[in-house]
Amino acid sequence: MFDDRYKQLDEIFNLVLDELDVPSDMLGQAEKRYMELAEWLKADSGKRYRSDSLLYPQGSMLLGTAIRPVKAEDDYDFDFVYLRDIKKESISQEELKNQVGDQLKDYIADLEKKRAPEIPVLESRNRCWTLRYGTKFHMDVLPALPDEDLKNEAIIITDKSLHLWQKSNSKGYFIPIAI
């Protein structure tokens, strides 16, 4: 009797999880766009600014907990950190955000020149830049620098008013589990 109830609960939970999960084709599209952007930014940053850069997932994308939007008309939200390997004394928050914005504009221009099948629309936000891919999904790109005080994957990011650097450590939330 209890086995049947547990089996029914298990089936119900699996149905709910299937409804919440990001469809594999959507996740695949987002991962493809992310990889394309990461390669482009790394190459461009090395040429333009002579610094290393790294684009990596954060939040639900890093943790593997991304879910469908609550409303059907909303798009999927995938968050990324764009880490530039430079000292904070060498750049202001405003300059960092503007430089990243300029790179993203050039990335879009490059996609247009290559006649890519999907061209994102770029939007400036308080802390980040958003690349909107139609009504399907968007990628938030957060400019960041290494936090020289804390090390260990810690970063500093711009604040909403672009006056004080904020500390963050999105990688610190991720703890890989050996299976």
Side-chain angles (χ1 to χ4, degrees):
M1 180 168 142
F2 286 112
D3 287 339
D4 288 341
R5 286 186 187 168
Y6 288 127
K7 187 175 179 181
Q8 286 177 333
L9 278 174
D10 188 52
E11 289 174 8
I12 290 169
F13 285 135
N14 283 327
L15 287 171
V16 169
L17 289 175
D18 286 344
E19 281 299 310
L20 291 175
D21 269 347
V22 175
S24 59
D25 63 326
M26 177 66 62
L27 200 52
Q29 286 179 35
E31 287 174 352
K32 182 179 178 188
R33 299 295 178 261
Y34 154 66
M35 294 302 292
E36 290 169 354
L37 177 60
E39 289 176 24
W40 193 94
L41 287 171
K42 185 162 186 62
D44 185 65
S45 186
K47 286 187 289 189
R48 186 186 307 217
Y49 301 115
R50 297 192 186 348
S51 69
D52 286 338
S53 68
L54 177 66
L55 184 73
Y56 62 86
Q58 73 167 348
S60 62
M61 198 65 186
L62 174 67
L63 298 173
T65 58
I67 60 170
R68 290 180 192 254
V70 175
K71 297 177 184 173
E73 65 270 11
D74 291 343
D75 53 347
Y76 290 87
D77 174 24
F78 301 115
D79 298 324
F80 298 92
V81 170
Y82 176 37
L83 183 66
R84 296 259 318 276
D85 190 17
I86 56 178
K87 296 188 181 301
K88 74 176 181 182
E89 294 80 19
S90 69
I91 195 167
S92 71
Q93 291 181 55
E94 185 175 15
E95 288 171 322
L96 176 64
K97 185 156 187 277
N98 289 339
Q99 285 181 5
V100 171
D102 290 342
Q103 283 185 282
L104 293 173
K105 289 172 191 167
D106 289 348
Y107 169 69
I108 291 169
D110 193 45
L111 290 175
E112 290 170 340
K113 186 173 95 179
K114 293 177 180 174
R115 298 184 190 271
E118 190 171 32
I119 309 294
V121 174
L122 183 64
E123 299 172 7
S124 178
R125 305 290 201 147
N126 286 329
R127 293 178 191 241
C128 69
W129 291 93
T130 297
L131 291 166
R132 191 166 302 283
Y133 289 85
T135 58
K136 297 180 282 186
F137 69 90
H138 68 266
M139 294 175 21
D140 291 330
V141 178
L142 177 68
L145 303 177
D147 186 339
E148 295 174 355
D149 297 331
L150 294 180
K151 312 270 191 240
N152 298 329
E153 307 292 343
I155 59 174
I156 54 174
I157 60 175
T158 58
D159 73 348
K160 291 179 182 178
S161 61
L162 300 174
H163 293 293
L164 302 173
W165 291 99
Q166 301 296 306
K167 294 181 180 289
S168 183
N169 188 353
S170 55
K171 285 186 177 180
Y173 287 101
F174 178 71
I175 302 172
I177 298 173
I179 298 177

